[in-house]
Amino acid sequence: MKLILLGAPGAGKGTVAKLLTAIDGSVQISTGDILRGAVQAGTDLGKEAEGFMKRGDLVPDSLIMGIMEKRLQEPDCEKGFLLDGFPRTIPQAEALKELLAKLNITLDMAVDIQVPRDVILDRLCTRRTCENPECQAIYNVKSNPPQKEGICDKCGSRVIQREDETEEAISHRLATYNEKTAPLIGFYEKEGLLFSVEALNSDAVVNGVKEKLGLS
Ligand code: AMP
């Protein structure tokens, strides 16, 4: 499957992507994970992106398009991909449209995961992430804590609160989402690719997507 996952930070795009990859071997491409990995590795890309990310601002479109142009041509994308956190602006969506046409790739749909704001705020404030850039496993202090406090079950690294998941950065990220990313819903509706799901749990979203794609 070749999907875009839309939705505010904390809507569950990452979790849904992981569940969907298990169905047909598509790969999850998370620009946030790629950027956090670059920041931790101290690469030029990481150095450029770090300040924007800490403040909860979007990284410039040109940096993101550079990442995506390379990533979409890697061989593991042949089975399909789930774009998680990209595109985030109308210019990114337009550039993606051009890039896909150039690469002769057709999208199946853009899935908009709709979750109420109070649920999102609660989820993000209680979310914790493995600091190992290769792992980046997600936990939740209330609903899914690691077995040993502060230690990742999967790789044994520290589990931390992301710098952009303080209350202040979160409200800034949500405002940025409403201003810059929410307009993509209209963009993909016009393209005839939009599939909106109102769902509080990721399994319900996955079932909706499977049904729409005729996979269930
Ligand atoms: P995420 O994990 O998707 O919430 O992304 C974390 C941060 O990475 C965002 O707050 C942005 O600073 C940056 N980022 C991730 N994806 C993009 C994108 N497509 N365009 C611009 N900035 C991005």
Side-chain angles (χ1 to χ4, degrees):
M1 59 186 92
K2 296 185 175 80
L3 302 185
I4 293 174
L5 297 174
L6 297 172
K13 298 185 294 293
T15 310
V16 167
K18 286 197 173 67
L19 293 168
L20 290 173
T21 56
I23 296 175
D24 70 350
S26 307
V27 278
Q28 174 189 8
I29 303 180
S30 155
T31 39
D33 283 354
I34 295 172
L35 290 167
R36 278 184 290 280
V39 170
Q40 290 221 11
T43 62
D44 288 346
L45 169 67
K47 285 182 197 136
E48 278 195 71
E50 191 169 12
F52 296 99
M53 294 175 76
K54 270 193 190 157
R55 291 191 296 275
D57 282 329
L58 292 181
V59 169
D61 291 340
S62 55
L63 281 187
I64 298 290
M65 288 318 299
I67 298 175
M68 289 308 297
E69 178 147 16
K70 267 200 222 136
R71 184 66 189 89
L72 281 172
Q73 294 182 72
E74 284 172 22
D76 61 349
C77 290
E78 271 165 27
K79 278 196 184 160
F81 49 78
L82 302 147
L83 303 184
D84 159 13
F86 170 86
R88 279 285 231 285
T89 62
I90 295 280
Q92 287 183 16
E94 282 166 348
L96 175 66
K97 189 176 167 185
E98 259 179 47
L99 177 61
L100 292 176
K102 186 172 102 185
L103 301 175
N104 217 357
I105 295 174
T106 310
L107 283 176
D108 293 312
M109 61 191 179
V111 183
D112 178 37
I113 308 172
Q114 298 176 345
V115 178
R117 186 185 162 91
D118 54 333
V119 177
I120 296 240
L121 281 175
D122 185 57
R123 268 190 202 165
L124 288 178
C125 292
T126 52
R127 183 151 91 171
R128 299 291 180 270
T129 307
C130 171
E131 70 171 354
N132 172 3
E134 302 294 317
C135 177
Q136 301 198 36
I138 304 282
Y139 297 92
N140 184 290
V141 284
K142 285 193 202 158
S143 59
N144 175 31
Q147 282 175 7
K148 199 167 159 203
E149 202 186 321
I151 305 292
C152 178
D153 296 345
K154 294 192 180 139
C155 75
S157 301
R158 273 192 327 148
V159 169
I160 54 160
Q161 181 166 32
R162 278 168 40 181
E163 276 185 80
D164 64 353
E165 285 181 352
T166 60
E167 250 182 85
E168 200 188 338
I170 288 168
S171 27
H172 186 57
R173 282 167 68 202
L174 289 176
T176 305
Y177 173 80
N178 287 332
E179 186 196 338
K180 305 249 168 78
T181 310
L184 294 185
I185 297 171
F187 179 94
Y188 286 110
E189 193 167 24
K190 275 202 202 121
E191 295 282 307
L193 287 172
L194 187 69
F195 174 56
S196 290
V197 220
E198 265 176 60
L200 289 182
N201 78 65
S202 304
D203 287 330
V205 179
V206 169
N207 288 336
V209 170
K210 278 169 70 178
E211 203 175 307
K212 186 85 184 163
L213 291 176
L215 296 173
S216 56

